[in-house]
Amino acid sequence: MRVTFVGVGEAFDERLPNTSLLVEGVGADGPRTILLDCGFTAGAAFFGCGALPAALRERGPDAIWISHFHGDHYFGLPYALTRWHEQGRREPLTVYGGEGMAGKLAALVDMAYPNVRGKLTYPLKGVSVADGEAFSLAGLPARTALTGHGAPCLALRLETADGGLYYSGDGAPKAACVELARGCGLVVQEAYGLAAGIPGHGSVAQAIELAREAGAGALAVVHVRREVRREQSGDIRRMLEESGIRAFLPEPGDVFAPAQREAL
């Protein structure tokens, strides 16, 4: 499993791209690539991410996962989908997400570029996934659980040949999220502030508690409120260092892979 942090920012951070991850993992049918979330600033960040091979940026991932329908998590899709069209992608692309994924995908692309969907160089479809559902995401086993967010948001667990990945999307972790994350090699948790109590969002303290309870191999904290990250990054890193678990605050372009866990 190799995870590239294309973006790590919250919705309105002008310095950091919206949180978005590119996961490379091996399943029963071989290597697969999945993009997790694609917000309005993450689309461009994907193509400018030097940590990703140029060929991968050009052709795009095997599938896309959208955790929920807020702009900083899926409004970058028209940018990315149209650029892959311009670059001549031929392989089918499926975008997975919550209820209504197909309709929301079509409406968003049509709003941005009304004539693009009818002439895409590759087949495109949206697939809806339910809370708690087990399914195959580009050949990798996956499951979901609802988080505590203002809009319905599905946390995702992906299984690869060398470990599991938990990605929260937005929202404080619920009991089902702890079970979903149990034993994962990497937990990626949204943490808007330092302490619990932020409506609709998680915190650094809750992220640490989640990783501990789930017995995670490592924790990455993302989507920190811009002022908190700029003014209190030292406090965040100190909390992570003192947590007793392997934990880090990633920057755009950082890469997590089993062989690199100690370095992070």
Side-chain angles (χ1 to χ4, degrees):
M1 175 176 61
R2 175 184 167 96
V3 179
T4 302
F5 292 87
V6 174
V8 299
E10 43 105 318
F12 309 115
D13 193 322
E14 74 278 15
R15 301 181 188 179
L16 298 175
N18 301 143
T19 295
S20 179
L21 285 61
L22 193 285
V23 181
E24 300 169 73
V26 177
D29 299 324
R32 291 291 183 266
T33 56
I34 301 169
L35 184 65
L36 307 183
D37 280 339
C38 187
F40 31 64
T41 60
F46 176 88
F47 294 96
C49 184
L52 297 176
L56 174 54
R57 284 180 278 161
E58 182 175 349
R59 72 174 184 270
D62 295 315
I64 298 175
W65 167 257
I66 300 300
S67 63
H68 64 294
F69 302 120
H70 278 165
D72 58 310
H73 290 263
Y74 86 119
F75 271 26
L77 286 175
Y79 181 115
L81 299 175
T82 304
R83 180 152 170 173
W84 290 321
H85 160 74
E86 287 190 343
Q87 292 173 174
R89 178 185 173 115
R90 299 293 178 183
E91 297 79 14
L93 180 60
T94 302
V95 182
Y96 296 82
E99 183 179 355
M101 183 72 250
K104 290 182 182 296
L105 175 63
L108 181 64
V109 175
D110 289 351
M111 180 173 61
Y113 299 107
N115 300 316
V116 162
R117 273 200 309 129
K119 59 182 182 182
L120 285 175
T121 57
Y122 56 92
L124 173 69
K125 68 176 180 178
V127 173
S128 296
V129 178
D131 172 27
E133 182 175 349
F135 64 106
S136 175
L137 182 46
L140 298 181
R143 287 187 290 130
T144 66
L146 273 173
T147 71
H149 191 44
C153 177
L154 291 172
L156 177 75
R157 179 183 180 127
L158 274 178
E159 302 288 355
T160 73
D162 58 352
L165 167 73
Y166 172 91
Y167 172 62
S168 67
D170 283 358
K174 296 184 175 181
C177 299
V178 177
E179 293 308 312
L180 193 69
R182 195 166 299 283
C184 278
L186 176 64
V187 164
V188 181
Q189 173 62 42
E190 178 261 341
Y192 203 59
L194 297 182
I198 305 166
H201 288 284
S203 67
V204 176
Q206 288 170 299
I208 292 170
E209 181 180 2
L210 167 66
R212 280 178 179 156
E213 289 189 26
L219 167 68
V221 169
V222 296
H223 201 283
V224 179
R225 182 173 173 85
R226 56 196 181 277
E227 296 92 347
V228 174
R229 181 161 181 142
R230 291 170 196 166
E231 299 168 10
Q232 298 178 276
S233 60
D235 295 327
I236 296 171
R237 290 189 169 91
R238 185 160 46 254
M239 290 174 68
L240 297 178
E241 289 171 3
E242 295 174 354
S243 68
I245 59 177
R246 190 179 300 133
F248 60 103
L249 181 67
E251 298 288 341
D254 281 355
V255 175
F256 175 92
Q260 297 171 296
R261 290 176 185 173
E262 293 297 342
L264 291 169

